[in-house]
Amino acid sequence: MARFGGWVTRHPFRATLLYIALVSGIFLAFPGLDLAASGVFHDPALGFFAQGEPILRKLRYLGPHIVQIIAIVSIGVLLLKLLLPGRAPVMPLRTPVFLLTTLILGPGLVVNALLKNTWGRPRPVMVEQFGGDMPYIPVWLPSNWCDTNCSFVSGEGSASVWLLTLVFIAPKAWRPVIVAALVPLILALSANRVAFGGHFLSDTLLSWGVTFLVILSVYHILYRRPGRWLTDEGLDEALTKAGRALQRAVAAVTTTASIRARSFLTKFR
């Protein structure tokens, strides 16, 4: 196990691809696992009974709120630098760029725009085994049973595992603590959607792998082999230039508007 753990640390891309392949293979070979996992939370008379639990309903919205806060703070850091180009940024600019880029590409484009809107997999609440009128569709098998915002893969699972980006940008001494805090939260948020009948277990497990692969890719580009313009200094320089150009444009527009306003007012003297 120690040797395997060391291999995973040295080869995170390969390890993530292996994880995706293994999970996909298991659920393709044993599709009953999906139905069995969802069946734990389903009652023929009550449906997916967890949906009626107030605490679990509130838990569902906890993840998106945390994601929104991180996104707003990241955007704020970039806007502050743009509006005050002469001042040093409040944090290294690769940090908000990394957070926003992984969020847009992972949970945003790859998961929600590409997979959920094109793969057509019905959610558990839609399938015949749980009172719906659609068939169960295995993982990675495209279908036209669901038109948009479908089951494969889990958006909430993707957004929850995206929180691990905080580990990548945190000081090394803090990383074990952050991991210890995030892992239970990720498991709870992801399991909650399975309990609600919103996603199959395979949707959640594969959303983790797909999203983490995006995170690793962006991290490699920004931190392992960045071009000059993707370093903290390069981003600082680019936003400083953009901010000063914006100030000049605003000043020019303000001056022009002031001149035209004075010219207009002179007509009424």
Side-chain angles (χ1 to χ4, degrees):
M1 288 300 295
R3 182 177 298 178
F4 179 73
W7 179 84
V8 169
T9 303
R10 293 190 304 272
H11 306 284
F13 282 100
R14 296 180 187 177
T16 305
L17 289 172
L18 178 61
Y19 167 84
I20 293 173
L22 286 175
V23 172
S24 300
I26 289 172
F27 281 94
L28 284 171
F30 306 102
L33 291 176
D34 260 340
L35 297 172
S38 294
V40 172
F41 306 100
H42 183 267
D43 182 272
L46 301 175
F48 285 94
F49 47 83
Q51 294 182 4
E53 294 294 330
I55 294 179
L56 295 181
R57 294 181 68 87
K58 291 180 180 179
L59 176 64
R60 180 187 176 184
Y61 296 104
L62 175 62
H65 285 326
I66 296 174
V67 171
Q68 289 170 7
I69 290 172
I70 296 173
I72 290 170
V73 171
S74 299
I75 293 171
V77 170
L78 296 176
L79 285 178
L80 186 63
K81 177 59 185 176
L82 192 63
L83 296 174
L84 300 173
R87 301 190 61 174
V90 296
M91 65 174 64
L93 292 177
R94 274 187 299 184
T95 297
V97 169
F98 172 66
L99 293 172
L100 291 173
T101 303
T102 51
L103 179 61
I104 293 170
L105 291 179
L109 293 178
V110 174
V111 170
N112 282 287
L114 177 60
L115 296 176
K116 286 173 65 67
N117 283 340
T118 59
W119 239 253
R121 189 187 200 192
R123 296 175 182 270
V125 294
M126 300 175 176
V127 303
E128 298 165 341
Q129 290 85 345
F130 302 117
D133 57 0
M134 300 182 186
Y136 167 82
I137 304 296
V139 295
W140 295 115
L141 181 63
S143 78
N144 57 4
W145 283 98
C146 174
D147 294 327
T148 184
N149 193 28
C150 305
S151 190
F152 184 79
V153 289
S154 171
E156 286 85 352
S158 174
S160 65
V161 85
W162 174 82
L163 295 174
L164 288 176
T165 52
L166 300 177
V167 178
F168 285 76
I169 62 175
K172 288 185 178 181
W174 297 5
R175 291 176 185 176
V177 176
I178 296 175
V179 169
L182 286 179
V183 168
L185 178 62
I186 292 169
L187 293 174
L189 292 172
S190 299
N192 202 39
R193 294 302 291 140
V194 177
F196 274 36
H199 288 288
F200 289 105
L201 178 60
S202 58
D203 296 325
T204 295
L205 296 180
L206 286 171
S207 73
W208 293 352
V210 169
T211 305
F212 200 70
L213 198 61
V214 172
I215 293 172
L216 289 174
S217 300
V218 176
Y219 185 83
H220 181 80
I221 293 171
L222 284 177
Y223 289 93
R224 298 300 186 194
R225 295 182 179 276
R228 169 68 180 85
W229 65 283
L230 285 178
T231 62
D232 292 322
E233 295 77 12
L235 290 169
D236 192 346
E237 181 180 341
L239 283 180
T240 297
K241 290 180 178 178
R244 287 174 177 163
L246 178 63
Q247 287 180 340
R248 290 192 296 269
V250 171
V253 171
T254 302
T255 301
T256 301
S258 178
I259 293 173
R260 291 182 178 179
R262 286 198 300 266
S263 176
F264 176 76
L265 291 174
T266 56
K267 298 179 182 180
F268 298 91
R269 291 182 181 176

